[in-house]
């Protein structure tokens, strides 16, 4: 089996994770992100410049980013749903914006209060601002394997939204299985279609682990040449607009899988697990990561 020789992990725990957990302090978020950087993570989503009325947990993203002390190689990104969010992110020096829409009209309405095509319109000035300031833009498409409101999602719709995001200037699109309903055969069918039109280096996978399929799905995506994986330390989080969805696949579990496949992601697993234990202590919960729990049991 030919797996990619280099795999990039995009750590989304401080955003996708914490947006759906009880609030922690700004200091605790800063410590988490600094610890993730110390563990070797180089792509870290640090917050979201969204409406605090919609997602209060992310209201302090500017303070978090201003307070960070991460390695200089770290690429910090943040969600920017509109120009207001992008301007606020730019002000604190964010070098990568993440814009987000979905392959489901119903989900897009619940999540960002507009249609898919209106969301693309809203992103145009965000991308313009990014281009004018040398900021990269990443795109997310949610609900690529199923929607909490409409159920089945057509792969053709996913393809269409991905093409629009890439055409407007995203360097990569992350495919979100927001409610974690996908299985490897569905992943294969979707990626087979997408890869007929889009090269593998422009796609990332973003699996939530609600039904315990995330690692199997990642393994399938790797087999198909996808080399960027989103994950969240300790399997934090979920999605505020997808009831019952669990967190992203845990970064500890992904790192262990990659090491087992002979792909060294250059991440210190022990330090990573410790970062997860610290934030879980702040949240008064156990990590949702088999690898983290196994390492904890050995300590
Ligand atoms: P809206 O209510 O339609 O927007 O929200 P609006 O323009 O009418 O503004 C309403 C109020 O929000 C105004 O304040 C604006 O100033 C303010 P008011 O006058 O009422 O006091 N506002 C903002 N404040 C701060 N930052 C901003 C901003 N924009 C407007 N950027 C909006 C539209 C997009 C803002 C809203 O729907 C929103 O913030 N949604 C965020 C939803 C969200 O963060 N969801 C979770 C992330 S997506 C996800 O988790 C999926 C992903 O992980 C992939 C996957 O798993 O599938 C990415
Ligand atoms: Mg997500």
């Amino acid at each position: 089996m030919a797996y990619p020789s280099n795999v990039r992990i995009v750590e989304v725990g401080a955003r996708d994770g914490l947006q759906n957990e009880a609030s922690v302090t700004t200091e605790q978020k800063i410590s988490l992100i600094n610890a993730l950087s110390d563990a070797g993570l180089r792509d870290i989503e640090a917050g979201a410049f969204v409406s605090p009325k919609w997602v209060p947990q992310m209201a302090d993203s500017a303070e978090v980013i201003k307070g960070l002390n991460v390695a200089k190689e770290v690429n910090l990104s943040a969600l920017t749903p509109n120009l207001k969010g992008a301007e606020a992110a730019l002000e604190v020096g964010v070098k990568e914006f993440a814009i987000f829409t979905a392959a489901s009209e119903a989900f897009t309405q619940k999540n960002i209060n507009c249609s898919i095509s209106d969301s693309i319109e809203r992103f145009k000035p965000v991308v313009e601002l990014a281009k004018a300031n040398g900021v990269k833009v990443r795109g997310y498409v949610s609900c690529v394997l199923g929607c909490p409101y409409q159920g089945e999602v057509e792969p053709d719709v996913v393809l269409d939204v991905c093409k629009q995001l890439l055409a407007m200037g995203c360097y990569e699109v992350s495919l979100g299985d927001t409610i974690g309903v996908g299985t490897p055969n569905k992943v294969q069918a979707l990626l087979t279609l997408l890869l007929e039109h889009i090269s593998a280096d422009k796609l990332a996978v973003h699996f939530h682990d609600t039904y315990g399929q995330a690692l199997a799905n990642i393994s399938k995506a790797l087999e198909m040449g996808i080399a960027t994986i989103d994950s969240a330390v300790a399997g934090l989080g979920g999605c505020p607009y997808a009831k019952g969805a669990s967190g992203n696949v845990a970064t500890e579990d992904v790192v262990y899988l990659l090491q087992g496949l002979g792909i060294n992601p250059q991440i210190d697993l022990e330090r990573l697990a410790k970062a997860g234990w610290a934030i879980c202590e702040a949240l008064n919960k156990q990590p949702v990561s088999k690898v983290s729990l196994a390492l904890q049991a050995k300590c």
Side-chain angles (χ1 to χ4, degrees):
M1 197 73 63
Y3 290 110
S5 47
N6 284 310
V7 170
R8 171 175 159 252
I9 292 181
V10 178
E11 169 59 50
V12 298
R15 192 282 301 172
D16 203 353
L18 293 182
Q19 75 183 8
N20 207 38
E21 302 280 359
S23 281
V24 294
T25 65
T26 304
E27 272 314 312
Q28 285 165 334
K29 291 181 188 175
I30 291 171
S31 301
L32 169 66
I33 297 171
N34 288 344
L36 293 168
S37 163
D38 290 345
L41 284 149
R42 290 298 172 257
D43 289 275
I44 302 178
E45 206 171 65
F49 292 84
V50 299
S51 164
K53 287 184 192 145
W54 286 64
V55 186
Q57 292 92 329
M58 292 289 108
D60 59 351
S61 288
E63 285 69 39
V64 170
I65 289 168
K66 281 193 280 186
L68 293 177
N69 182 17
V70 294
K72 64 179 185 327
E73 304 81 20
V74 171
N75 179 38
L76 289 175
S77 61
L79 294 193
T80 55
N82 53 18
L83 190 56
K84 186 179 170 100
E87 284 170 346
L90 193 62
E91 215 173 287
V92 292
V94 170
K95 289 276 181 283
E96 180 172 322
F97 295 163
I99 55 180
F100 52 106
T101 186
S104 147
E105 286 293 352
F107 185 84
T108 312
Q109 282 293 347
K110 297 270 186 198
N111 193 29
I112 50 177
N113 205 22
C114 63
S115 65
I116 299 172
S117 68
D118 285 349
S119 73
I120 299 287
E121 283 306 308
R122 261 189 206 170
F123 298 150
K124 285 182 181 162
V126 173
V127 174
E128 286 311 310
L129 185 74
K131 281 182 185 157
N133 288 278
V135 169
K136 293 198 292 179
V137 185
R138 185 170 206 244
Y140 277 108
V141 182
S142 288
C143 299
V144 299
L145 296 169
C147 168
Y149 308 107
Q150 75 172 50
E152 289 294 314
V153 168
E154 286 302 320
D156 281 336
V157 179
V158 180
L159 173 63
D160 180 51
V161 181
C162 288
K163 278 181 171 171
Q164 292 189 61
L165 289 171
L166 291 169
M168 73 192 300
C170 291
Y171 76 91
E172 169 179 280
V173 174
S174 175
L175 304 165
D177 182 14
T178 316
I179 52 170
V181 289
T183 50
N185 59 336
K186 281 195 153 191
V187 172
Q188 184 168 20
L190 177 64
L191 288 178
T192 300
L193 173 70
L194 296 185
L195 291 170
E196 281 168 17
H197 303 267
I198 300 168
S199 62
D201 64 348
K202 292 196 159 31
L203 294 172
V205 286
H206 179 111
F207 292 117
H208 286 250
D209 203 28
T210 318
Y211 289 86
Q213 303 298 300
L215 284 182
N217 291 340
I218 286 171
S219 190
K220 176 56 70 184
L222 289 169
E223 263 173 54
M224 297 184 73
I226 305 299
T228 300
I229 298 168
D230 296 0
S231 60
V233 64
L236 293 177
C239 176
Y241 300 101
K243 202 167 183 292
S246 73
N248 289 81
V249 62
T251 309
E252 296 89 324
D253 297 359
V254 174
V255 169
Y256 187 86
L257 171 72
L258 294 176
Q259 288 176 345
L261 292 173
I263 303 166
N264 185 354
Q266 312 279 341
I267 289 164
D268 183 328
L269 187 51
E270 206 171 304
R271 281 187 170 196
L272 173 63
K274 282 187 179 154
W277 299 338
I279 191 68
C280 283
E281 197 180 325
L283 289 163
N284 196 21
K285 65 177 272 189
Q286 282 289 305
V288 187
S289 158
K290 292 256 165 102
V291 170
S292 175
L293 292 173
L295 293 174
Q296 204 167 33
K298 285 209 301 194
C299 283

